């Protein structure tokens, strides 16, 4: 008899739970039916597509987010090999039903894809002031890729450094960095970043500029030379045009020289 009472109680609780589940499912169905799906116009879709490229190319986008994007927009990818063209053929089936074909060169036996020596040299110099995350962003911003044609990530920069025995950037324990970027170097000299950059471009002070769209790098030793002091003094004496005379100003001495030459003739 005791077991029958327990069984009856359990059955009653089970039926009550099933009724609750049915009630909740009904509320969810009613809510879904009352919620209208948003209607996107073609312009909004085009904007989303442009934003997708921006998000994908952003240095802050990690592998996890890229995987989520791929799962959202791609149904499947079918790979095949074209032996005559020595290419890998990829057919991408998008969620919307469109198919795209991509062809990639197939690595031949014994072939090695090495990273450009210029990229390695740039990483060696950038590692003086930047960590691997920042270096990857700078390389991508300059349109540089790995030996296999991939975008740079922190992991790939770390692997490149390790392979070529390039030391990782570590802030100095005493806060006195041996290498400084443009902003920190300018603050050390008490001049503007523009003044120091123009001086570096003119060759008035030693500096490293590994990439066109990248940071300027200055050694602390170069900032204590007579050239650096001359730049600072010139900026102090002529704050409006710290890098020299106004570009539209004509040279008086060149005119005098030209006149004297004419008279001597």
């Amino acid at each position: 008899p005791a077991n029958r009472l327990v069984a009856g109680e359990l059955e009653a609780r089970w039926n009550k739970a099933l009724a609750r589940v049915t009630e909740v499912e009904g509320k969810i169905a009613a809510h879904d039916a009352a919620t209208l799906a948003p209607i996107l116009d073609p312009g909004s879709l085009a904007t989303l597509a442009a934003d997708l490229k921006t998000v994908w190319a952003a240095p802050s986008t990690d592998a996890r987010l890229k995987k989520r994007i791929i799962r959202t927009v791609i149904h499947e990818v079918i790979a095949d090999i074209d032996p005559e063209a020595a290419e890998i053929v990829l057919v991408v089936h998008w969620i919307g039903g469109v198919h795209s074909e991509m062809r990639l060169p197939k690595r031949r036996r014994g072939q090695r894809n090495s990273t450009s020596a210029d990229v390695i040299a740039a990483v060696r110099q950038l590692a003086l002031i930047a960590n691997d995350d920042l270096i990857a962003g700078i390389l991508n911003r300059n349109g540089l890729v790995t030996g296999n044609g991939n975008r740079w990530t922190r992991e790939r920069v770390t692997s490149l450094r390790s392979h070529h025995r390039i030391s990782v950037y570590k802030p100095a324990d005493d806060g006195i960095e041996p290498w400084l970027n443009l902003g920190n170097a300018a603050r050390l000299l008490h001049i503007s970043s523009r003044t120091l950059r123009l001086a570096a471009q003119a060759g008035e002070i030693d500096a490293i500029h590994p990439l066109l769209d990248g940071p300027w790098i200055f050694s602390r030793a170069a900032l204590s030379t007579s050239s650096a002091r001359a730049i600072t003094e010139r900026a102090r004496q002529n704050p409006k045009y710290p890098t020299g005379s106004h570009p539209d100003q004509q040279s008086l001495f060149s005119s005098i020289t030209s006149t004297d030459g004419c008279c001597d003739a």
Side-chain angles (χ1 to χ4, degrees), residues 25-113:
E25 288 178 345
K27 290 182 178 180
I28 293 175
H31 179 272
D32 292 342
T35 303
L36 297 177
I39 300 176
L40 296 178
D41 60 277
S44 299
L45 292 175
T47 302
L48 288 174
D51 291 342
L52 178 60
K53 293 180 180 180
T54 303
V55 172
W56 185 271
S60 58
T61 302
D62 57 9
R64 180 181 301 178
L65 178 56
K66 289 185 177 181
K67 289 179 181 179
R68 292 180 60 187
I69 294 174
I70 290 174
R71 294 190 186 102
T72 302
V73 300
I74 295 179
H75 174 63
E76 64 178 355
V77 178
I78 299 176
D80 197 3
I81 295 178
D82 185 345
E84 295 182 359
E87 293 178 332
I88 300 174
V89 183
L90 301 176
V91 179
V92 182
H93 294 183
W94 301 92
I95 293 295
V98 179
H99 296 174
S100 301
E101 180 180 291
M102 300 174 59
R103 288 179 171 264
L104 303 175
K106 183 177 180 295
R107 182 184 299 181
R108 294 177 174 83
R109 181 173 299 178
Q111 178 183 353
R112 296 184 60 187
N113 296 332

Side-chain angles (χ1 to χ4, degrees), residues 11-240:
E11 184 178 0
R13 293 182 182 181
W14 177 257
N15 291 334
K16 185 177 180 180
L18 290 177
R20 177 60 178 165
V21 170
T22 302
E23 179 185 356
V24 172
E25 288 178 345
K27 290 182 178 180
I28 293 175
H31 179 272
D32 292 342
T35 303
L36 297 177
I39 300 176
L40 296 178
D41 60 277
S44 299
L45 292 175
T47 302
L48 288 174
D51 291 342
L52 178 60
K53 293 180 180 180
T54 303
V55 172
W56 185 271
S60 58
T61 302
D62 57 9
R64 180 181 301 178
L65 178 56
K66 289 185 177 181
K67 289 179 181 179
R68 292 180 60 187
I69 294 174
I70 290 174
R71 294 190 186 102
T72 302
V73 300
I74 295 179
H75 174 63
E76 64 178 355
V77 178
I78 299 176
D80 197 3
I81 295 178
D82 185 345
E84 295 182 359
E87 293 178 332
I88 300 174
V89 183
L90 301 176
V91 179
V92 182
H93 294 183
W94 301 92
I95 293 295
V98 179
H99 296 174
S100 301
E101 180 180 291
M102 300 174 59
R103 288 179 171 264
L104 303 175
K106 183 177 180 295
R107 182 184 299 181
R108 294 177 174 83
R109 181 173 299 178
Q111 178 183 353
R112 296 184 60 187
N113 296 332
S114 301
T115 301
S116 166
D118 293 338
V119 173
I120 297 172
V123 171
R124 191 180 301 277
Q125 294 173 333
L126 290 171
L128 297 172
I129 63 167
N131 58 35
D132 292 349
D133 266 327
L134 185 56
I135 292 175
I138 295 171
L139 295 176
N140 290 330
R141 192 165 67 238
N142 282 270
L144 301 174
V145 295
T146 67
N148 292 323
N150 297 318
R151 287 177 56 82
W152 287 97
T153 62
R154 179 187 60 187
E155 293 77 13
R156 287 170 180 154
V157 173
T158 302
S159 176
L160 178 72
R161 280 195 309 94
S162 300
H163 181 72
H164 293 279
R165 299 182 179 180
I166 301 174
S167 300
V168 64
Y169 167 73
K170 291 182 179 179
D173 295 334
D174 56 3
I176 302 177
E177 301 290 344
W179 298 92
L180 299 93
N181 60 23
L182 178 62
N184 291 335
R187 280 191 290 272
L188 185 65
L189 296 179
H190 303 289
I191 59 177
S192 69
S193 297
R194 178 178 179 274
T195 298
L196 183 56
R197 175 176 56 80
L198 292 176
Q201 290 175 336
E204 298 177 4
I205 187 171
D206 291 336
I208 304 173
H209 194 211
L211 298 171
L212 183 62
D213 189 3
W216 285 87
I217 304 172
F218 299 83
S219 69
R220 185 174 290 270
L223 300 176
S224 60
T225 61
S226 58
S227 299
R229 289 192 294 271
I231 296 170
T232 303
E233 182 63 19
R234 185 177 63 203
R236 186 184 65 82
Q237 293 180 355
N238 190 9
K240 189 173 182 180

